[in-house]
Structures are given as C-alpha cells and as structure tokens.
Amino acid sequence: MTASPRGLSYALLAAFGLAAAVDLISLLAGAELGHRLAKPLLMPLLAAYAVTRGAPRPLTAALLLGWGGDVFLLSDADGAFLAGMGCFAAGHVCYLVLFGRRRTSPALGALYAAALAGTVLLLWPDLPAELRIPVAGYSLLLTATAYRSSALGLLAGLGGALFLLSDTLIATGVAEWPQLPAPDFWVMLTYIAAQYLLTAGALHAMYGERRTTV
C-alpha cells in the first residue's frame, strides 16, 4: 500500500518541522552534534515537500542552493564562508526569477533601499577587508529578494524580510558587533521561518489553498 501524494506531503512537512525543532533545541542546549545532524536535513526536506506540492523549478532550485549554503557554513575550512555565500546568492537569483515581473510597492522598495545603504555603511568599517565587496554584493541580492518577495503576498513578503534579518545577524557576527544571547539560535530561527514562508507563500500565490499547508 503506497502513501497518497497528500499524505507524503504532510509527512515531509512534519519531518521538516522535526528537523527544525531538533536544530533549534540543539543550538539552545549547546549540542553541536544535534545541530550538525539536523541542519543539513532542513532544506532537502522542505524542497521535497515543495516538489510534492507542484513547486516551480526556481523555488526548488533556491531551496537546494540554500542547502548547499547550509552545508558550507557548517565548515571552518578556508573559503567555506564565501562558498556558502555564493550558494545563497545563486538561490536569491532563483527567487528573483520566481517572482518575475509582478508589481511591488515603490514605497516598500525605498524602505528596503534605505535599509541596505544604512546596513552596508555601518558594517563596512568592521568587516574583514576581503569580505567587504562580497558582503555588499550579496546584500544587494538579499535585499532585492526581500523586496520582490512581497509580490507573492504577505507570507512570502514576511519570509523575504526574515531572510534579510537572518543574514544581517550573521553579518553583525562577522563584523564582531555585540550579539544576542545564543546568536546562532536566532540566525537559524529566522532563516528556517524565512525559507518556509517563502515556500508557502509561493505555492499559495501560484496554486491556491489546495497546494499549501500553513
């Protein structure tokens, strides 16, 4: 007896939720092994769920590129941070393709542009010299995703904003600014929520309630 497509979707979404819970609890508990085991499962499970819901290819590609970035950022090897940033940058390009030419608010665009300029200007002096240009370029793509995501509705718009917040928290850590307690927990919480909301928002916008579980 085989599982129904809807049953498979729910199972994959539940597995994603379980992996997210394990990852976040591990970060709070300081259990590095739990984090290293759970983090690489997140995006493949979310991508598989999206595929069972008829995800367009740019969405699936964005999630799998996010998985590549997640894996690279688990490593302390030289160049791993830049490689991870490169994966996420390519993922943002996929998101921008997904959003297409749908209309978004010019006022919201102005707010995001001001946030981008202010953040880069503030971070610039404290970033390692070799990361300044890559971080600025990545920030431009990230902010474009955050802004354009609103074209798919509130869920996706919130996801884009949380993605921007998550990566800004990472950048402040690289710049060695004061951090919140358990900084990795907040980075992952906002990142996981961002990727899920972008996925749910995209599926809802393209296929309606029948393809989306929120």
Side-chain angles (χ1 to χ4, degrees):
M1 183 175 181
T2 58
S4 68
R6 183 174 290 274
L8 178 59
S9 293
Y10 280 115
L12 288 167
L13 187 60
F16 167 73
L18 177 61
V22 170
D23 187 53
L24 294 172
I25 292 169
S26 296
L27 288 171
L28 284 176
E32 181 67 16
L33 179 60
H35 172 59
R36 288 186 171 274
L37 290 174
K39 185 180 181 183
L41 298 176
L42 292 168
M43 291 307 106
L45 287 169
L46 185 57
Y49 160 74
V51 167
T52 66
R53 290 304 201 190
R57 289 181 181 177
L59 174 59
T60 305
L63 293 172
L64 292 178
L65 285 163
W67 169 72
D70 290 343
V71 171
F72 276 119
L73 293 183
L74 283 172
S75 173
D76 295 326
D78 291 343
F81 182 80
L82 286 175
M85 190 188 302
C87 284
F88 282 117
H92 289 306
V93 172
C94 292
Y95 274 127
L96 291 172
V97 171
L98 175 68
F99 303 147
R101 297 184 178 183
R102 295 173 180 84
R103 297 188 64 176
T104 46
S105 165
L108 183 61
L111 287 174
Y112 271 123
L116 170 64
T119 301
V120 171
L121 286 173
L122 289 171
L123 286 171
W124 188 272
D126 298 322
L127 290 171
E130 68 275 13
L131 292 181
R132 288 172 178 169
I133 298 300
V135 167
Y138 175 75
S139 297
L140 179 61
L141 272 176
L142 172 63
T143 305
T145 295
Y147 167 52
R148 293 288 299 134
S149 64
S150 63
L152 297 185
L154 179 60
L155 286 177
L158 288 173
L162 285 173
F163 214 139
L164 178 62
L165 175 58
S166 179
D167 281 3
T168 300
L169 291 174
I170 293 175
T172 61
V174 173
E176 298 185 351
W177 285 14
Q179 298 291 294
L180 294 169
D184 290 343
F185 168 82
W186 297 108
V187 168
M188 286 305 299
L189 177 64
T190 49
Y191 169 70
I192 292 167
Q195 292 280 40
Y196 173 71
L197 288 171
L198 283 165
T199 299
L203 293 175
H204 184 274
M206 293 177 181
Y207 302 120
E209 295 287 351
R210 65 188 180 89
R211 298 277 186 101
T212 310
T213 303
V214 179

